[in-house]
Amino acid sequence: MDRQRTRHRIGILGAGNIFGRYVEGLRTFPELEVVRVADVDTARARQAAAEYGIPAWSDADELLDDDTVEIVVNITPPRFHAKTVIAALEAGRNVYVEKPLAATVEEAREVLDAAASSTALLGSAPDTFLGSAVQTARHALDSGRIGEVVGATAFVRSSRAETWHPDPRAFYGPGGGPVLDMGPYYVAALVNCLGPVVQVSAATRIGATTRTVTSPERVVDEVTVEVPTHASATLTFASGAIATTVMSFDVWDTELPRIEIYGTEGTLALPNPNFFDGDVRLKRHGDDQWRVLTPVTELFGAVGTPEQHRRGLGVRDLAGALDGGPHRANPEFAFHALEVLASFEISQREKRFVDLESACERPAPRPVVSAAH
């Protein structure tokens, strides 16, 4: 059967801030059909269904009881990920969950055990590494464009969530902070490009202990910070490459790059890995100017437009895996990214290098539709 023509029926669990981004992104793929939305607040689920023309709305239990739903897209807050993912897997539903895989490594291990015991498939964000930007960088690296990779830098600056999110408490509570909120996108990009991490050394701290919420539609005026908001870490990869990272909700203004990868023959500069697309630039030793590489895969959305906020490539990846294709945004990859980031706190608390217990394969690259040059 033609993988691209197989129809997959989707129920979305959670009708919060990123719900619309998923609906809009999933609707770009004819093979994916959103048939139900569920939320603990059923009034919100009903409103979301009406706004986006989704035929059914309910609470979570009704969603999991709906045998017509093949894939559950779980966009609940991180502290609920483990419980809701396990419940969906036990109900026989394939699941795609937003990052992180779970709020803690311990909970994530329980999720992996549940997935291993189930015939259903589990996929997880971050999936932006599936976009044209990181795929183009990966192709350049695999083609030897910068020689042997020596090191990398990655800088997470504040998303200023308190200025646009109506209830940013999750950003500053367990499962949040710059490390677990934005860090997964950066670590996923690096692991996709460079392979698994074997060791982490980090220092973390809290900046301002309270944050004033200025979002026009805010439901709280102030947030108490419960997790570190500034972290600096060194990641050592199995390949021998070393990455230096800063992840912060206290850096609002900076001229630092998002991600750069340094090789024996040149440098690659990557755009914001929170988006799927953007310019990947190459400067080989001896070049006078940076060159923008031609994307090797199609764009998910027009760069510099609201289309870049859409989500859904990882759900399409899961659907493709159900039809026999490669599963790139898989739970082992997501678990490894989570363990890397959770190691920041361990390194800070115990004042030591942390050796990673997990590893993962570099995901298979997506098919090249045009050669980068």
Side-chain angles (χ1 to χ4, degrees), residues 65-95:
D65 287 340
D66 186 348
D67 290 335
T68 69
V69 171
E70 181 187 12
I71 299 172
V72 173
V73 175
N74 185 342
I75 54 175
T76 60
R79 66 183 182 277
F80 299 121
H81 283 183
K83 178 181 178 180
T84 51
V85 169
I86 291 171
L89 289 171
E90 290 178 345
R93 304 289 173 252
N94 302 292
V95 184

Side-chain angles (χ1 to χ4, degrees), residues 228-240:
T229 55
H230 188 88
S232 179
T234 300
L235 314 181
T236 302
F237 292 79
S239 66

